[in-house]
Amino acid sequence: MANINKDHGYHLAALRQACDEEDIEWIEQQHDLSQDKPQADRHHTPVKSPNPKKMKANESQTQNEVSNTVLLNAIQKLVCKFDTQSEHLKSYEFQLQDNTDAVRKVKESVDANTEAVKSVVEDVKRIKTQMATLKKENEALREMCLEHARYKRRWSLLLTGVPEKEGENTREEIIKILTKIIPANAEQLYNTVDTVHRLGQKGRVGDKPRLIVIQFAMRTVRDLVWKMSKEAKFCKEMKIRFREDFCKEDREARKRLWPRVEEARSRGLKAFLKEGYAVIDGRQIKE
């Protein structure tokens, strides 16, 4: 009997570890019922006591049957729980596989994007190198075009202050003016003065006369006119003035640099403007 109770207690301890709180409470209630013994009724008529050996045998059999029933029910519940948990685990396994596939696809996408980014970075580096080369070439070509424009304009002079006349022959008028400035006759100037024309559209009567562009066929004649016109008495009397013909870039540069030339001159320094730069105290300044 002691061994049976001992085994039964061991089974209960094992079941407590395997079952939840409700199952344990139900098992313990069944166990307590199996341990209860019927109590004698004091008011009952005394009868002959049963055989003690038969009673012990019956009690042992009853306890074994109850214990086996409790264990069987508990085992069935555990089997059901294990089956349920197995289904949950399978579901988790499928979810885990789906997540693994999703992560793998994301990794493949990230790897592809990484390769694409590397390719773009290489393309950007190559384009930057090409841009730097093109920028140098563009600057060189721009300087060449600018120098070409400067060189062409070195054969020209601008003249301001000459009144406009209706139906005038501008070239004839300019040749007459030039004969008053340089020691040359009209026939010689006809061979050296190429084209003469006014700039812009003709305005109304009384407007400021338009600028005249004079293009020379000989650079030496142009330079002589430019030099002698600065002190020519005829120019002062006629209130006309010769100017050098600069391109747009040089005109803008001279406009920016002129205040610095004036400041240098006010400090007693030698300063003057050239085509697209200034010379102040022997130093060339572009900006």
Side-chain angles (χ1 to χ4, degrees), residues 238-250:
M238 295 290 298
K239 296 181 180 180
I240 60 177
R241 182 189 173 199
F242 285 88
R243 290 163 43 190
E244 291 184 289
D245 187 14
F246 297 110
C247 61
K248 179 181 178 181
E249 290 80 2
D250 288 346

Side-chain angles (χ1 to χ4, degrees), residues 13-43:
L15 289 174
R16 286 191 182 93
Q17 296 179 357
C19 301
D20 54 20
E21 295 291 338
E22 294 180 357
D23 295 334
I24 293 172
E25 184 178 353
W26 182 81
I27 292 170
E28 288 180 347
Q29 288 177 358
Q30 296 297 326
H31 176 68
D32 292 339
L33 290 174
S34 66
Q35 295 295 329
D36 291 342
K37 295 182 179 179
Q39 297 180 358
D41 190 359
R42 295 180 182 179
H43 302 285

Side-chain angles (χ1 to χ4, degrees), residues 21 24 28 35 44 69 97 106 112 116 122 141 148 180 186 203 209 232 236 251 267 269 273 280 284:
E21 295 291 338
I24 293 172
E28 288 180 347
Q35 295 295 329
H44 192 273
T69 301
Q97 184 63 38
V106 170
E122 294 297 327
L141 289 173
H148 177 73
K180 307 290 184 179
K236 295 178 180 178
R251 290 196 301 269
R267 292 187 284 113
L269 300 177
L273 292 172
I280 299 177
Q284 181 174 315

